[in-house]
Amino acid sequence: MVFDAPPAQRTAHAWMPSSPCGSGCIDPVDEIGTARVIGRLFGVAGLLISFPVVNVVTPRGRREQLQRRYARTVLGCLGIRLRIVDNRADAGESADARFGASGAGLLIVAGHIGWTDVVVMAAVQPLGFVARADMVDWPLLGGLAKLLRVIPIERERLRELPGVVARLGERLAAGDRVAVFPEGTTWCGRAYGTMRPALFQAAVDTGTPVQPVRLRYRDRHGIQCTVPGFVGADSFAASAGRVLRSRGLVVEIVLEPQEQPGADRRELALRCERAVRGTELSRHGAVDAQQWIAATTTRVQDPDATATVGPQARRPARRLRPITLRGRRREPIAR
């Protein structure tokens, strides 16, 4: 496989976000033949290799349009059809929707399902990202990450988080559009975690509005699909292989009304989480499963539960101890 990257790092501290999602969350879907898979793979590789060169020779005033077209072509090569729904002004479904005007700072927040999320959001409008630090070392995608000026974040190093927030604030103050995934890790798409408030501090400090975005992947029959989930012990090669083999994937990206930053990052994070989730319940495993487990402040269905376990069975949430520095009890910024 041309693409490969290490799986997500193990939890290194008590406050590092984690997800119970794994291979049990991934549903089987209709697949294409080997010849078409190879064709898709070479198509994506060709686009990623050519993009840096084409981007450099393109006049600056036309680069945003070029980047958007490239992202949409990559989705097409992956076999993913894009559907944009704009709920900000009763615009409904639109192929020409944008996150915001160029030159105006905007923080875009969404739940995180897999690596395809980055391509999907870039297909709406080019923007920067806060992404896992080792992404810049991934074959092909690493070069693209550098070109997009990704702000690297190492979730296992809690002390570096204030520096990431500061760099994010600088980008927003300069008028950049930057997307973040405040859950801090990937989930399968049916289940999701809490939006951590730390990165929202950059919007509060700079007075930047926040654009909540809802992402859903569906199969060819319109049923919610977990194939793009980059979860558990997945390597990039395994995740990419699932997507390349799938038939008829559709990604739905819903733009909700913007939220003003206010003065409290926790309150802002809660407002954005409500906007992104709506009335949806967080479910794990099969759609008709009844078992639940606790994940942060969200309950998700347990894919390992057997039929003999009743719907009232619960696993108690693990109580985390606060970090202690030099004998003092201190609340981390992520809280």
Side-chain angles (χ1 to χ4, degrees), residues 262-321:
D264 186 339
R265 68 172 183 263
R266 292 177 177 83
E267 189 267 340
L268 175 60
L270 183 59
R271 281 191 280 128
C272 289
E273 183 175 331
R274 288 172 177 169
V276 169
R277 304 307 177 199
T279 58
E280 290 183 350
L281 294 176
S282 182
R283 298 179 297 191
H284 211 190
V287 176
D288 59 351
Q290 297 295 321
Q291 289 74 33
W292 301 78
I293 59 177
T296 61
T297 58
T298 304
R299 292 196 179 278
V300 294
Q301 293 176 348
D302 184 358
D304 298 321
T306 64
T308 59
V309 179
Q312 299 301 320
R314 298 288 188 272
R315 295 182 188 176
R318 183 164 61 98
R319 297 182 64 84
L320 302 179
R321 296 180 179 177

Side-chain angles (χ1 to χ4, degrees), residues 35-312:
R36 290 188 62 187
V37 171
I38 295 174
R40 285 182 176 182
L41 179 60
F42 277 99
V44 172
L47 288 168
L48 295 180
I49 292 172
S50 66
F51 176 72
V53 177
V54 176
N55 187 71
V56 168
V57 301
T58 300
R60 289 186 178 273
R62 300 177 59 186
R63 285 182 182 175
E64 180 172 311
Q65 183 180 15
L66 171 75
Q67 293 170 11
R68 188 183 186 213
R69 287 181 176 177
Y70 251 84
R72 292 191 174 205
T73 305
V74 169
L75 285 179
C77 286
L78 292 171
I80 301 176
R81 185 165 59 88
L82 176 67
R83 178 173 181 251
I84 304 174
V85 179
D86 192 347
N87 285 340
R88 294 171 298 184
D90 298 324
E93 186 173 352
S94 172
D96 297 321
R98 302 287 199 280
F99 291 122
S102 299
L106 185 66
L107 181 67
I108 298 98
V109 299
H112 203 7
I113 299 171
W115 55 272
T116 53
D117 300 346
V118 175
V119 184
V120 170
M121 296 177 77
V124 177
Q125 191 173 16
L127 66 168
F129 292 89
V130 175
R132 50 186 285 184
D134 62 348
M135 184 178 180
V136 299
D137 298 323
W138 291 10
L140 295 183
L141 283 180
L144 185 61
K146 294 176 183 177
L147 191 63
L148 295 175
R149 296 190 300 148
V150 163
I151 300 174
I153 182 171
E154 297 188 45
R155 295 282 181 178
E156 63 273 18
R157 297 185 180 181
L158 188 63
R159 292 184 180 181
E160 295 188 5
L161 187 53
V164 174
V165 174
R167 289 192 292 275
L168 175 58
E170 292 172 359
R171 293 277 291 273
L172 295 176
D176 286 356
R177 297 179 302 270
V178 185
V180 301
F181 302 105
E183 290 168 315
T185 188
T186 50
W187 292 66
C188 66
R190 288 203 189 103
Y192 48 81
T194 298
M195 288 193 173
R196 308 297 178 97
L199 296 177
F200 289 91
Q201 186 64 44
V204 172
D205 291 342
T206 58
T208 302
V210 183
Q211 173 65 67
V213 170
R214 186 182 307 169
L215 285 175
R216 295 192 191 96
Y217 291 91
R218 302 186 184 277
D219 63 18
R220 61 187 302 193
H221 307 293
I223 300 172
Q224 192 169 3
C225 176
T226 58
V227 163
F230 186 40
V231 293
D234 259 348
S235 68
F236 184 76
S239 176
R242 285 199 307 270
V243 173
L244 288 168
R245 291 191 300 270
S246 64
R247 181 193 299 273
L249 280 184
V250 177
V251 59
E252 180 181 83
I253 181 167
V254 182
L255 310 182
E256 298 294 347
Q258 292 184 6
E259 299 285 343
Q260 295 306 309
D264 186 339
R265 68 172 183 263
R266 292 177 177 83
E267 189 267 340
L268 175 60
L270 183 59
R271 281 191 280 128
C272 289
E273 183 175 331
R274 288 172 177 169
V276 169
R277 304 307 177 199
T279 58
E280 290 183 350
L281 294 176
S282 182
R283 298 179 297 191
H284 211 190
V287 176
D288 59 351
Q290 297 295 321
Q291 289 74 33
W292 301 78
I293 59 177
T296 61
T297 58
T298 304
R299 292 196 179 278
V300 294
Q301 293 176 348
D302 184 358
D304 298 321
T306 64
T308 59
V309 179
Q312 299 301 320

